[in-house]
Coordinates of all heavy atoms in Angstrom, one line a residue:
L41 N 19.9 -13.5 2.9 CA 19.9 -12.1 2.5 C 21.2 -11.8 1.8 O 22.2 -12.4 2.1 CB 19.6 -11.2 3.7 CG 18.3 -11.5 4.5 CD1 18.2 -10.5 5.6 CD2 17.1 -11.4 3.5
S42 N 21.1 -10.9 0.8 CA 22.2 -10.7 -0.1 C 23.5 -10.2 0.5 O 24.6 -10.6 0.2 CB 21.8 -9.7 -1.2 OG 20.6 -10.2 -1.9
S43 N 23.3 -9.2 1.4 CA 24.5 -8.6 2.1 C 24.1 -8.0 3.4 O 22.9 -7.8 3.6 CB 25.1 -7.5 1.1 OG 24.2 -6.4 1.0
P44 N 25.1 -7.7 4.2 CA 24.7 -7.0 5.5 C 23.9 -5.7 5.3 O 22.9 -5.5 6.0 CB 26.1 -6.8 6.2 CG 26.9 -7.8 5.6 CD 26.5 -8.0 4.2
Q45 N 24.4 -4.9 4.4 CA 23.6 -3.6 4.1 C 22.2 -3.9 3.6 O 21.3 -3.2 4.0 CB 24.4 -2.8 3.2 CG 25.7 -2.1 3.8 CD 26.4 -1.2 2.8 OE1 26.4 -1.4 1.6 NE2 27.0 -0.1 3.4
S46 N 22.1 -4.8 2.7 CA 20.8 -5.1 2.1 C 19.9 -5.7 3.2 O 18.7 -5.4 3.2 CB 20.9 -6.2 1.0 OG 19.7 -6.6 0.6
A47 N 20.4 -6.5 4.1 CA 19.6 -7.0 5.2 C 19.1 -5.9 6.1 O 17.9 -5.9 6.5 CB 20.4 -8.0 6.0
I48 N 19.9 -5.0 6.4 CA 19.5 -3.9 7.3 C 18.5 -3.0 6.6 O 17.4 -2.7 7.2 CB 20.7 -3.1 7.7 CG1 21.6 -3.9 8.6 CG2 20.3 -1.8 8.5 CD1 23.0 -3.3 8.9
I49 N 18.7 -2.6 5.4 CA 17.8 -1.8 4.7 C 16.4 -2.5 4.5 O 15.4 -1.9 4.7 CB 18.4 -1.4 3.3 CG1 19.6 -0.4 3.5 CG2 17.3 -0.7 2.4 CD1 20.2 -0.1 2.2
S50 N 16.5 -3.8 4.2 CA 15.2 -4.5 4.0 C 14.4 -4.6 5.2 O 13.2 -4.5 5.2 CB 15.6 -6.0 3.5 OG 16.3 -5.9 2.3
A51 N 15.1 -4.8 6.4 CA 14.3 -4.8 7.6 C 13.7 -3.5 8.0 O 12.6 -3.4 8.4 CB 15.3 -5.2 8.8
V52 N 14.4 -2.4 7.7 CA 13.9 -1.0 7.9 C 12.7 -0.7 7.0 O 11.7 -0.2 7.5 CB 15.0 0.0 7.8 CG1 14.4 1.4 7.8 CG2 16.1 -0.1 8.8
I53 N 12.9 -1.1 5.7 CA 11.8 -0.8 4.8 C 10.5 -1.7 5.2 O 9.4 -1.1 5.2 CB 12.2 -1.2 3.4 CG1 13.3 -0.2 2.9 CG2 11.0 -1.2 2.4 CD1 13.8 -0.5 1.5
F54 N 10.7 -2.9 5.5 CA 9.6 -3.8 6.0 C 9.0 -3.2 7.2 O 7.7 -3.1 7.3 CB 10.1 -5.2 6.2 CG 9.0 -6.1 6.8 CD1 8.1 -6.7 5.9 CD2 8.8 -6.3 8.2 CE1 7.0 -7.5 6.4 CE2 7.8 -7.0 8.7 CZ 6.9 -7.6 7.8
N55 N 9.8 -2.7 8.1 CA 9.3 -2.1 9.4 C 8.3 -0.9 9.1 O 7.4 -0.7 9.8 CB 10.5 -1.6 10.2 CG 10.1 -1.4 11.7 OD1 9.6 -2.2 12.4 ND2 10.2 -0.1 12.1
A56 N 8.7 -0.1 8.0 CA 7.8 1.0 7.7 C 6.6 0.6 6.9 O 5.4 1.0 7.2 CB 8.6 2.0 6.9
L57 N 6.8 -0.4 5.9 CA 5.7 -0.8 5.1 C 4.6 -1.6 5.8 O 3.4 -1.6 5.4 CB 6.2 -1.6 3.9 CG 7.0 -0.8 2.9 CD1 7.5 -1.7 1.7 CD2 6.3 0.4 2.3
V58 N 5.0 -2.3 6.8 CA 4.1 -3.2 7.5 C 3.0 -2.3 8.3 O 1.9 -2.7 8.5 CB 4.8 -4.1 8.5 CG1 5.3 -3.4 9.8 CG2 3.8 -5.2 8.9
I59 N 3.4 -1.1 8.6 CA 2.5 -0.1 9.2 C 1.4 0.2 8.3 O 0.2 0.1 8.6 CB 3.2 1.1 9.7 CG1 4.2 0.8 10.8 CG2 2.2 2.2 10.2 CD1 5.1 2.0 11.1
V60 N 1.7 0.5 7.0 CA 0.7 0.8 6.0 C -0.1 -0.4 5.7 O -1.3 -0.4 5.5 CB 1.4 1.4 4.7 CG1 0.4 1.7 3.7 CG2 2.2 2.6 5.1
A61 N 0.6 -1.6 5.6 CA -0.1 -2.8 5.2 C -1.2 -3.2 6.2 O -2.2 -3.9 5.9 CB 0.9 -3.9 5.0
L62 N -0.9 -2.9 7.5 CA -1.9 -3.3 8.5 C -3.0 -2.3 8.8 O -3.9 -2.6 9.5 CB -1.1 -3.5 9.9 CG -0.2 -4.8 9.9 CD1 0.6 -4.8 11.2 CD2 -1.1 -6.0 9.7
I63 N -2.9 -1.2 8.1 CA -4.0 -0.2 8.3 C -5.4 -0.7 7.9 O -6.4 -0.5 8.6 CB -3.7 1.1 7.6 CG1 -2.6 1.9 8.4 CG2 -4.9 2.0 7.4 CD1 -2.2 3.2 7.7
P64 N -5.5 -1.5 6.8 CA -6.8 -2.1 6.4 C -7.4 -3.0 7.5 O -8.6 -2.9 7.8 CB -6.5 -2.9 5.2 CG -5.4 -2.2 4.5 CD -4.5 -1.7 5.7
L65 N -6.5 -3.8 8.2 CA -7.0 -4.6 9.3 C -7.4 -3.7 10.5 O -8.4 -4.0 11.1 CB -5.9 -5.6 9.7 CG -6.2 -6.5 10.9 CD1 -7.5 -7.3 10.6 CD2 -5.1 -7.3 11.3
A66 N -6.7 -2.7 10.7 CA -7.0 -1.8 11.8 C -8.4 -1.1 11.5 O -9.2 -0.9 12.4 CB -5.9 -0.7 12.0
I67 N -8.6 -0.8 10.3 CA -9.9 -0.1 9.9 C -11.0 -1.1 10.0 O -12.1 -0.8 10.6 CB -9.8 0.4 8.5 CG1 -8.8 1.6 8.4 CG2 -11.2 0.9 8.0 CD1 -8.6 2.1 7.0
R68 N -10.8 -2.3 9.4 CA -11.9 -3.3 9.4 C -12.2 -3.8 10.8 O -13.3 -4.1 11.2 CB -11.6 -4.4 8.4 CG -12.7 -5.5 8.3 CD -12.3 -6.5 7.2 NE -11.1 -7.3 7.7 CZ -9.9 -7.2 7.2 NH1 -9.6 -6.4 6.3 NH2 -8.9 -8.0 7.7
G69 N -11.1 -4.0 11.5 CA -11.2 -4.6 12.9 C -11.3 -6.1 12.9 O -11.8 -6.7 12.0
V70 N -10.8 -6.6 14.0 CA -10.9 -8.1 14.2 C -12.3 -8.3 14.6 O -12.9 -7.6 15.5 CB -9.9 -8.5 15.3 CG1 -10.1 -10.0 15.6 CG2 -8.5 -8.3 14.9
R71 N -12.9 -9.4 14.1 CA -14.4 -9.7 14.4 C -14.6 -9.9 15.9 O -13.8 -10.6 16.5 CB -14.8 -10.9 13.6 CG -16.3 -11.2 13.7 CD -16.7 -12.3 12.9 NE -18.1 -12.7 13.0 CZ -18.7 -13.7 12.4 NH1 -18.1 -14.4 11.6 NH2 -20.0 -13.9 12.6
Y72 N -15.6 -9.2 16.4 CA -15.9 -9.4 17.8 C -16.9 -10.5 18.0 O -18.0 -10.6 17.5 CB -16.6 -8.1 18.4 CG -17.2 -8.2 19.7 CD1 -16.4 -8.5 20.8 CD2 -18.5 -8.1 19.9 CE1 -16.9 -8.6 22.1 CE2 -19.1 -8.2 21.2 CZ -18.3 -8.5 22.3 OH -18.8 -8.6 23.5
R73 N -16.4 -11.5 18.8 CA -17.3 -12.6 19.2 C -17.3 -12.7 20.8 O -16.2 -12.9 21.3 CB -16.8 -13.9 18.6 CG -16.9 -14.0 17.1 CD -16.5 -15.5 16.7 NE -16.5 -15.6 15.3 CZ -15.3 -15.6 14.6 NH1 -14.2 -15.3 15.2 NH2 -15.4 -15.7 13.2
P74 N -18.4 -12.6 21.4 CA -18.4 -12.8 22.9 C -17.9 -14.2 23.2 O -18.5 -15.2 22.9 CB -19.9 -12.6 23.2 CG -20.5 -11.9 22.1 CD -19.8 -12.3 20.9
T75 N -16.8 -14.2 23.9 CA -16.2 -15.5 24.3 C -15.3 -15.2 25.6 O -15.1 -14.1 26.0 CB -15.3 -16.0 23.2 OG1 -14.8 -17.3 23.5 CG2 -14.2 -15.1 22.8
S76 N -14.8 -16.3 26.1 CA -13.9 -16.2 27.3 C -12.6 -15.6 26.9 O -12.1 -15.7 25.8 CB -13.8 -17.6 27.9 OG -13.0 -18.4 27.1
A77 N -11.9 -15.0 27.9 CA -10.6 -14.4 27.7 C -9.6 -15.4 27.3 O -8.7 -15.2 26.4 CB -10.2 -13.7 29.0
S78 N -9.7 -16.7 27.8 CA -8.7 -17.7 27.5 C -8.8 -18.1 26.0 O -7.8 -18.2 25.3 CB -8.8 -18.9 28.4 OG -10.1 -19.5 28.2
K79 N -10.0 -18.2 25.5 CA -10.2 -18.6 24.1 C -9.8 -17.5 23.2 O -9.2 -17.7 22.1 CB -11.7 -18.9 23.9 CG -12.2 -20.2 24.5 CD -13.6 -20.5 24.1 CE -14.1 -21.9 24.7 NZ -15.5 -22.1 24.4
L80 N -10.1 -16.3 23.6 CA -9.7 -15.1 22.8 C -8.1 -15.0 22.7 O -7.6 -14.8 21.7 CB -10.2 -13.8 23.5 CG -10.0 -12.5 22.7 CD1 -10.7 -12.6 21.3 CD2 -10.6 -11.4 23.5
L81 N -7.5 -15.3 23.8 CA -6.0 -15.3 23.9 C -5.4 -16.3 22.9 O -4.5 -16.1 22.2 CB -5.5 -15.4 25.3 CG -4.0 -15.5 25.5 CD1 -3.3 -14.2 25.0 CD2 -3.6 -15.7 26.9
S82 N -6.0 -17.5 23.0 CA -5.5 -18.7 22.2 C -5.7 -18.3 20.7 O -4.8 -18.6 19.9 CB -6.2 -19.9 22.5 OG -6.0 -20.3 23.9
R83 N -6.8 -17.8 20.4 CA -7.1 -17.4 19.0 C -6.1 -16.4 18.5 O -5.5 -16.5 17.4 CB -8.5 -16.9 18.9 CG -8.9 -16.5 17.5 CD -10.4 -16.1 17.4 NE -10.8 -15.6 16.1 CZ -10.8 -14.3 15.8 NH1 -10.4 -13.4 16.7 NH2 -11.2 -13.9 14.6
N84 N -5.9 -15.3 19.3 CA -4.9 -14.3 18.9 C -3.5 -14.8 18.7 O -2.8 -14.4 17.8 CB -5.0 -13.1 19.9 CG -6.2 -12.2 19.7 OD1 -6.9 -12.3 18.7 ND2 -6.4 -11.3 20.6

């Protein structure tokens, strides 16, 4: 990263933008497949 200030600002901006970026996944949802809890955990 370019500088300490740039690193901090970049992390804060990414922290905010990732919320917006993940909204489509939250809307669409992770596909539901009936399976065991262990398999589901491994997949996630």
